[in-house]
Amino acid sequence: MAGGLEPHLEALRRELHGPAVLSVLVALIAVAITFLIWRFVQGRRSSRKAVLLLGLCDAGKTLLFARLLSGRYRDTQTSITDSSAVYRVSQDKSTSVTLIDLPGHESLRLQFLERFKAAARAIVFVVDSVAFQREVKDVAEFLYQVLVDSTVLRNAPALLIACNKQDVTMAKSAKLIQQQLEKELNTLRVTRSAAPTSLDGSAAGGPAQLGKKGKDFDFSQLPMKVEFVECSARGCKGEEGEADLEGLEKWLVKVA
């Protein structure tokens, strides 16, 4: 009986060592590694629960922050420190993020970004749509510093450019703001890449490469998803009216 089974067992052993089985094993190992990497990335992402509100002074970040949390208008002043609160994004209140409003003053904004950037799941970069034409270079400079930051590039948080103050007649549209920002960021990239190098060989102006080399910059070249919305924290009826934050609120639901 045993002697009769021996040829079959030998054939099975040869089959198990054959190329077909080896290919299956390699495929299974590849799937397992991919799954582990995915779990690792998802774990890191789930540990990042902050949505940072960035922008220049007087862009309306603090009023946006207050409106999102309470729905009510309030008088605000230039912030010199951060403010944070839990924001519930779903109807059943089961999903939340931590909104963090960061100061926009030139002497403070980068040090506060440094403090909170590693925790950022998403970034809302608030632009004053009324003052944009005269502030475009300053807006682009700050946004450039955010986009070339090594931590931001590595984590690639979702980015929303919130074109605020759309209740004002002279406000620029989100489309025009996007076009002008892309143009200014492209100019900054060229300027930074031409900056003289220091003794250790690094560029004096920091990382110069933004987007794809040899092509004019546009936001689709970034590792993170970038969207633009038009909004108004003040609202078309001023203090007594409701804010127009529908696009921003829908985006927060998506990124939470």
Side-chain angles (χ1 to χ4, degrees):
M1 183 78 168
L5 288 175
E6 190 62 36
H8 298 290
L9 293 173
E10 183 60 32
L12 180 60
R13 280 194 289 268
R14 287 199 302 271
E15 187 66 29
L16 289 174
H17 288 85
V21 174
L22 183 61
S23 298
V24 172
L25 288 174
V26 170
L28 288 173
I29 291 171
V31 169
I33 291 173
T34 302
F35 177 74
L36 289 173
I37 293 173
W38 178 83
R39 286 292 300 271
F40 175 72
V41 171
Q42 287 297 109
R44 288 187 61 189
R45 182 178 183 275
S46 63
S47 68
R48 302 196 306 270
K49 298 287 289 182
V51 176
L52 308 184
L53 299 181
L54 308 180
L56 304 188
C57 284
D58 300 321
K61 300 184 304 299
T62 302
L63 183 53
L64 273 176
F65 178 78
R67 285 285 206 178
L68 286 169
L69 294 172
S70 69
R72 294 189 296 272
Y73 177 90
R74 81 173 193 200
D75 290 324
T76 62
Q77 56 188 11
T78 301
S79 304
I80 59 172
T81 188
D82 61 280
S83 298
S84 63
V86 174
Y87 173 71
R88 307 289 178 183
V89 300
S90 61
Q91 293 294 329
D92 61 3
K93 309 298 184 185
S94 62
T95 305
S96 66
V97 294
T98 301
L99 289 180
I100 306 179
D101 174 28
L102 303 185
H105 193 278
E106 185 177 5
S107 64
L108 298 173
R109 58 196 183 210
L110 289 181
Q111 75 180 62
F112 277 89
L113 175 64
E114 183 69 25
R115 185 183 303 177
F116 292 104
K117 63 186 181 182
R121 169 172 293 207
I123 294 172
V124 178
F125 192 95
V126 185
V127 174
D128 183 336
S129 303
V130 179
F132 178 74
Q133 206 66 53
R134 70 172 182 270
E135 293 181 344
V136 59
K137 292 186 183 299
D138 292 333
V139 172
E141 174 70 30
F142 183 23
L143 184 56
Y144 179 90
Q145 292 171 316
V146 174
L147 294 176
V148 298
D149 183 271
S150 58
T151 301
V152 173
L153 285 172
R154 182 174 64 252
N155 292 340
L159 173 63
L160 183 75
I161 311 295
C163 305
N164 192 26
K165 304 187 183 181
Q166 290 292 318
D167 55 295
V168 181
T169 305
M170 299 300 292
K172 300 297 183 289
S173 69
K175 184 175 181 60
L176 184 144
I177 288 172
Q178 178 177 349
Q179 292 171 344
Q180 294 205 18
L181 278 178
E182 288 176 338
K183 182 179 178 180
E184 288 295 330
L185 288 169
N186 190 63
T187 300
L188 275 172
R189 179 177 65 171
V190 173
T191 304
R192 295 299 175 88
S193 64
T197 55
S198 60
L199 292 176
D200 63 0
S202 61
Q209 187 57 46
L210 185 72
K212 294 182 179 179
K213 190 175 182 179
K215 291 188 176 182
D216 287 342
F217 173 79
D218 65 68
F219 285 101
S220 67
Q221 297 166 4
L222 295 173
M224 69 282 288
K225 184 175 178 58
V226 183
E227 297 181 56
F228 283 72
V229 298
E230 296 180 353
C231 62
S232 173
R234 186 176 179 85
C236 60
K237 294 183 180 179
E239 299 179 16
E240 301 302 321
E242 292 186 2
D244 179 11
L245 303 179
E246 183 179 0
L248 173 56
E249 290 170 335
K250 287 181 177 179
W251 181 83
L252 287 169
V253 171
K254 286 195 301 183
V255 302

